[in-house]
């Protein structure tokens, strides 16, 4: 009798596995695989350790029963998440959803989820993705919205004409005082540059357009009479 023996150096493979494991364990938020069976049942074949820091849930609490993760959703956002999952499963599309998470023992957070699907031979679906904390960005967006609303309130009620331009010189905003002063509806002024539409004489319009370009290019204030 003879015995045939073969060997293979697995050092590189094991090193790669260790690096990947380390990378996944240190990703902000957590990495996951979400499975949907042909019968419509959802489960998590894999979640990275980051789920505990973000959600307060251990890896062994997530698996075939995703009730623990569903309970983690903010009640107002849970229906939207369920709809997004159903639509992504029906159309076999990527997941990209933002929602709040809330637990009695943790502060409310915004999270963002992104995942890419793949079909399984038996009719199931498998998404691979990441969930990360989006609280800081959402808070900044809310603050910017609040400041924009404050500006709009002040500008709308100012007796002085106020205009906001983009880099191309188009009017992004003008207040009622300007529309009243020139006798033109606000809608006729918005979205157009001074060259495209101006209620002023041609020479004045050209000088004002040049001033707007100068201020945009230099970042320095300017004036014209």
């Amino acid at each position: 009798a003879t015995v045939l023996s073969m060997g293979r150096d697995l050092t590189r493979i094991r090193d790669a596995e260790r690096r990947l494991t380390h990378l996944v364990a240190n990703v902000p938020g957590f990495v996951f695989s979400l499975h949907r069976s042909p019968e419509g049942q959802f489960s998590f074949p894999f979640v990275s350790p980051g789920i505990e820091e973000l959600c307060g849930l251990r890896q062994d609490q997530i698996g075939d029963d995703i009730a623990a993760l569903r309970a983690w959703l903010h009640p107002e956002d849970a229906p939207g998440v369920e709809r997004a999952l159903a639509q992504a499963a029906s159309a076999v599309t990527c997941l990209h959803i933002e929602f709040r998470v809330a637990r009695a023992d943790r502060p409310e957070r915004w999270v963002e989820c992104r995942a890419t699907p793949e079909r399984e031979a038996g009719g199931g679906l498998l998404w691979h993705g990441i969930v990360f904390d989006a609280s800081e960005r959402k808070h900044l967006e809310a603050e910017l919205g609040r400041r924009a609303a404050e500006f709009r309130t002040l500008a709308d009620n100012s007796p002085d004409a106020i205009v906001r331009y983009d880099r191309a010189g188009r009017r992004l905003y003008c207040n009622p005082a300007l529309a009243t002063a020139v006798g033109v509806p606000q809608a006729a002024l918005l979205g157009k540059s001074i060259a495209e539409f101006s209620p002023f004489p041609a020479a004045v319009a050209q000088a004002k357009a040049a001033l707007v370009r100068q201020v945009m290019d230099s970042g320095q204030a300017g004036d014209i009479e």
Side-chain angles (χ1 to χ4, degrees):
T2 60
V3 175
L4 177 63
S5 176
M6 298 180 66
R8 176 182 297 175
D9 187 351
L10 299 179
T11 303
R12 291 185 178 180
I13 295 176
R14 294 292 179 260
D15 286 345
E17 289 175 348
R18 281 192 292 271
R19 287 195 295 270
L20 180 59
T21 300
H22 179 75
L23 176 64
V24 168
N26 289 279
V27 165
F30 67 91
V31 176
F32 69 90
S33 293
L34 174 64
H35 182 259
R36 183 182 186 274
S37 71
E39 296 73 34
Q41 299 299 315
F42 285 96
S43 62
F44 283 94
F46 171 78
V47 290
S48 66
I51 193 171
E52 186 165 356
E53 192 281 328
L54 186 60
C55 309
L57 298 171
R58 299 188 312 273
Q59 287 175 285
D60 59 10
Q61 291 178 286
I62 306 297
D64 292 337
D65 182 8
I66 64 170
L69 199 58
R70 279 194 165 107
W72 171 64
L73 299 176
H74 192 288
E76 295 178 5
D77 297 342
V81 173
E82 297 288 356
R83 285 194 300 271
L85 284 173
Q87 291 169 1
S90 175
V92 193
T93 56
C94 294
L95 274 172
H96 182 198
I97 47 179
E98 296 180 353
F99 52 90
R100 289 167 293 173
V101 295
R103 286 171 56 97
D105 58 337
R106 288 172 176 260
E108 180 181 292
R109 288 181 173 181
W110 275 95
V111 300
E112 183 173 350
C113 170
R114 293 175 178 266
T116 303
E118 65 176 74
R119 294 180 184 271
E120 293 185 320
L125 292 172
L126 188 65
W127 285 269
H128 302 286
I130 183 172
V131 175
F132 54 90
D133 194 336
S135 300
E136 184 176 356
R137 175 174 59 80
K138 296 296 286 189
H139 291 159
L140 287 174
E141 289 175 355
E143 178 64 15
L144 288 173
R146 185 184 66 79
R147 292 187 180 184
E150 288 179 351
F151 165 79
R152 187 66 177 261
T153 299
L154 292 171
D156 280 353
N157 292 281
S158 172
D160 298 319
I162 298 175
V163 187
R164 175 180 282 170
Y165 298 94
D166 65 11
R167 290 289 299 178
R170 293 182 294 264
R171 300 180 188 91
L172 296 176
Y173 167 82
C174 66
N175 68 342
L178 175 64
T180 300
V182 300
V184 176
Q186 285 175 278
L189 297 167
L190 295 177
K192 300 180 178 66
S193 67
I194 297 173
E196 291 172 326
F197 180 82
S198 175
F200 303 107
V204 176
Q206 290 172 3
K208 188 170 184 181
L211 177 66
V212 170
R213 286 194 300 272
Q214 174 190 321
V215 171
M216 285 285 187
D217 292 340
S218 67
Q220 302 296 318
D223 59 76
I224 186 174
E225 294 183 359

